[in-house]
Amino acid sequence: MLFAVRMDVDLPLDLDAQFRDELLATEKAYSQKLQRAGKWVHLWRVVGEYSNLSVFDVADNGELHELLWNLPLFKYMKVTVTPLAQHPSAVAG
Ligand SMILES: O=C(O)CC1=CCC(=O)O1
């Protein structure tokens, strides 16, 4: 099942710099592991915003919830999930 997921990041300005750097490095490693596993199939920056637009390919709602819940940045993000279905006019996919 495919899901479009928008993540809007909102890190507190007074977050300890070392903690922030470690958090971002952990988030990067987590996302790259899921990308290599074929679960996180697109990761795009939204131009001009500290947000990304992603596509996940997972078995079901429960798997997506688990992956998102475990994002190191989860408590600092607003996450919006949109389930995707095949479009009848799509030539690929
Ligand atoms: O910077 C972001 O959009 C948040 C994020 C998701 C995966 C990652 O490495 O950073």
Side-chain angles (χ1 to χ4, degrees):
M1 297 172 71
L2 292 174
F3 294 88
V5 178
R6 178 178 170 127
M7 303 177 201
D8 299 299
V9 185
D10 187 13
L11 288 174
L13 293 175
D14 61 354
L15 206 60
D16 175 75
Q18 188 182 341
F19 175 76
R20 186 196 59 224
D21 291 350
E22 287 168 7
L23 190 61
L24 295 179
T26 309
E27 177 82 8
K28 181 175 183 175
Y30 180 80
S31 78
Q32 291 187 339
K33 186 173 165 207
L34 292 175
Q35 288 172 68
R36 291 192 182 98
K39 300 284 181 189
W40 194 327
V41 293
H42 287 279
L43 171 56
W44 295 95
R45 179 62 75 214
V46 177
V47 174
E49 299 181 44
Y50 193 0
S51 304
N52 73 70
L53 204 51
S54 293
V55 175
F56 286 82
D57 188 357
V58 292
D60 52 31
N61 292 4
E63 184 181 11
L64 181 66
H65 181 79
E66 198 65 25
L67 296 184
L68 297 176
W69 185 260
N70 286 305
L71 285 164
L73 278 179
F74 185 79
K75 70 179 280 196
Y76 302 108
M77 294 195 299
K78 176 172 176 267
V79 177
T80 308
V81 175
T82 307
L84 301 175
Q86 189 71 42
H87 194 291
S89 304
V91 292

